[in-house]
């Protein structure tokens, strides 16, 4: 089944403890992206990647890192999490970001709580 | 990308058509209209998109006005499983494929 898989679904951690949220897609998509969703603020883009080894900042990149060493994986790294990074995170991918006929496919989300 | 305006909430009786409006008065010529929905806290799901012609697929129909300043998403026979937040998004191909989701319309389908 074609899908975007995020792990874990739920994560509770403490301030300063490094963590990684994994994202994998099995559709050979070029484009991958991370969003966070907060009440009243909607979905905001954190980082995106147009292809392997190409990553760029989105609207809210501070406190996050990403890597795209292979096409299918796009992990989100929080080197030193803080409580303001408590949020619902979504990974998304699309086949060709330059095409109008290439909609985004989203994972089921990771709910992160930083205490 | 142009911004959109949607009503915050709507109700629809089960089995009836749900018509969700969206205003995008600042849309430019190369921008498409996309609709996504988000059920509870799941990942957003793509529904449909169009430029200026009406579009239909297995999920919904999209009606775009001739001046392209507004559009309507139609779910022809709403079911309880269609209860979700519906996002209308205007997108060009410049930039980072960064869809601005806004706050959407919360559609509640009533039995």
């Amino acid at each position: 089944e074609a899908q975007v898989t995020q792990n874990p679904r739920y994560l509770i951690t403490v301030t300063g403890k490094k963590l990684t949220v994994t994202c994998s897609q099995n559709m050979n998509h070029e484009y991958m992206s991370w969003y966070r969703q907060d009440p009243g603020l909607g979905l905001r883009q954190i980082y995106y990647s147009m292809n392997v080894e190409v990553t760029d900042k989105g609207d809210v990149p501070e406190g996050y890192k990403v890597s795209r060493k292979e096409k299918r994986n796009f992990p989100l790294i929080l080197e030193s999490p803080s409580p303001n990074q408590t949020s619902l995170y979504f990974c998304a991918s699309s086949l060709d970001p330059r095409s109008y006929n290439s909609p985004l496919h989203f994972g089921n989300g990771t709910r992160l709580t930083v205490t | 990308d142009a911004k959109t305006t949607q009503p915050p909430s709507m109700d629809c009786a089960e089995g009836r058509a749900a018509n969700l409006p969206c205003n995008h008065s600042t849309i430019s010529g190369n921008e498409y209209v996309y609709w996504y929905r988000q059920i509870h806290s799941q990942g957003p799901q793509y529904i449909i998109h169009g430029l200026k012609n009406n579009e239909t697929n297995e999920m919904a129909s999209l009606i775009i006005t001739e001046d392209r300043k507004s559009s309507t998403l139609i779910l022809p026979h709403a079911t309880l499983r269609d209860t979700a937040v519906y996002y209308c998004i205007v997108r060009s191909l410049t930039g980072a494929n960064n869809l601005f989701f806004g706050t959407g319309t919360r559609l509640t389908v009533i039995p």
Side-chain angles (χ1 to χ4, degrees), chain A residues 31 35 37 40 42-43 45 48 50 59 88 90 94 96-104 106-109 111, chain B residues 30-32 34 36 38 40-46 49 87 91-93 95-103:
Chain A
Y31 178 89
Y35 285 82
Q37 185 172 31
L43 282 124
Q45 191 180 54
Y48 65 97
M50 299 288 275
D59 296 323
L88 179 59
F90 291 104
S94 70
D96 179 0
R98 291 164 295 275
S99 168
Y100 285 115
N101 295 317
S102 185
L104 280 174
F106 283 82
N108 279 328
R111 188 170 292 280
Chain B
N30 67 344
E31 290 179 317
Y32 277 62
Y34 288 75
Y36 284 74
Q38 186 174 22
H40 194 44
S41 292
Q42 296 177 21
Q45 176 190 23
Y46 164 78
H49 73 282
Y87 297 98
R91 176 200 165 194
S92 70
L93 283 187
N97 197 9
N98 183 11
L99 302 185
F100 180 77
F101 278 78
T103 52

Side-chain angles (χ1 to χ4, degrees), chain B residues 49-68:
Chain B
H49 73 282
L51 180 64
K52 54 184 178 181
N53 298 320
N54 298 338
E55 303 287 345
T56 296
N57 64 19
E58 65 279 1
M59 289 182 71
S61 295
L62 173 60
I63 309 296
I64 302 174
T65 57
E66 195 167 337
D67 63 7
R68 303 208 324 120

